[in-house]
Amino acid sequence: MLETVRNCKKHNIKVGAHPGLPDVQGFGRREMKLSLEEHTANIIYQVGALRGFLDQEGVPLHHVKPHGILYGMMCRDYEIAKAVMLGIPKDIPVFGLAGTNMEKAANDLGITFWAEMYGDVKYDATGMLVIDRKKKPWNLEDVRKHVSQQVETESVTAIDGSNVHLPVKDHPISICCHSDSPGCVGIIKTTREVVDKFNQEHRR
């Protein structure tokens, strides 16, 4: 963590916390049953660990984005979403899936919400993410189409072929690409090309 923080500082990269369930063997991608109080404490613990390293290096915490299966649990369950949000520092934005309990809990607690889109994750017909335990490779042209559709139309083609609206409203937007996806550097570069083109065309 210290090395990562120092590298981010060196290259002027904003740093966010990515807390998940305490499932080390499953990399936070297996569901666990925690009490609401345990969910809050788990987030305080993990975000606090990163903040210690950030404070040491004089780098601010930019955002918090829940990880893995916890993200999906928060989308589906308002009480879990709220419990997790209670562990996030009040002045720090949270990244999440718009139109779900993540957004509702953030709004109810006065936490700034950023809507997320995905460069390397597919969606189902309800607009929920299809989470793979092990990431599968993407064709880069498919990544380009996938990201372009999201940023240009605020919609996505689901795995069943249907078109799904993404209710991002006027929230700031972040696009997530995973470092454990095969060919992740190509995915990130392709996503960045799409975003830069969109921002240039729309003078963002």
Side-chain angles (χ1 to χ4, degrees):
M1 288 176 74
L2 181 58
E3 181 181 2
T4 299
V5 168
R6 286 175 172 169
N7 281 331
C8 288
K9 182 179 181 179
K10 178 180 178 181
H11 296 285
N12 195 30
I13 302 296
K14 292 180 172 61
V15 182
H18 195 33
L21 295 177
D23 169 29
V24 176
Q25 290 298 109
F27 196 57
R29 290 182 176 147
R30 300 181 298 190
E31 190 160 329
M32 298 174 66
K33 300 295 184 182
L34 275 67
S35 70
L36 297 179
E37 186 177 48
E38 287 171 334
H39 274 297
T40 302
N42 178 52
I43 301 305
I44 293 171
Y45 172 74
Q46 292 188 42
V47 174
L50 176 61
R51 255 198 154 164
F53 290 103
L54 292 172
D55 290 347
Q56 180 71 23
E57 294 299 312
V59 177
L61 177 64
H62 180 262
H63 65 272
V64 173
K65 169 191 156 63
H67 165 72
I69 199 69
L70 179 61
Y71 193 104
M73 292 166 65
M74 292 172 67
C75 289
R76 298 188 302 270
D77 189 316
Y78 174 79
E79 293 302 326
I80 291 176
K82 185 177 178 182
V84 169
M85 297 289 179
L86 287 171
I88 296 173
K90 292 289 186 183
D91 58 332
I92 302 299
V94 63
F95 289 5
L97 196 63
T100 70
N101 285 309
M102 296 183 82
E103 179 183 6
K104 185 177 188 307
N107 290 341
D108 288 350
L109 293 171
I111 296 173
T112 300
F113 183 82
W114 285 41
E116 271 202 307
M117 295 175 176
Y118 282 80
D120 58 354
V121 178
K122 296 179 181 180
Y123 296 72
D124 67 20
T126 69
M128 297 293 284
L129 302 173
V130 179
I131 304 297
D132 296 319
R133 282 283 305 279
K134 185 176 182 180
K135 297 295 181 185
K136 299 173 183 175
W138 278 73
N139 178 288
L140 293 183
E141 280 308 304
D142 290 339
V143 172
R144 190 177 302 279
K145 292 175 185 176
H146 187 61
V147 176
S148 295
Q149 181 183 0
Q150 291 176 75
V151 298
E152 292 172 5
T153 69
E154 296 182 5
S155 70
V156 67
T157 300
I159 55 175
D160 68 351
S162 62
N163 191 68
V164 180
H165 174 62
L166 301 174
V168 297
K169 307 184 182 77
D170 60 350
H171 294 301
I173 293 174
S174 175
I175 301 181
C176 175
C177 300
H178 292 84
S179 62
D180 60 336
S181 287
C184 64
V185 174
I187 291 171
I188 292 166
K189 286 182 175 179
T190 301
T191 299
R192 183 60 186 264
E193 288 170 5
V194 173
V195 171
D196 285 348
K197 181 175 181 287
F198 177 86
N199 286 339
Q200 185 177 32
E201 290 175 350
H202 295 271
R203 298 180 180 178
R204 297 294 178 91

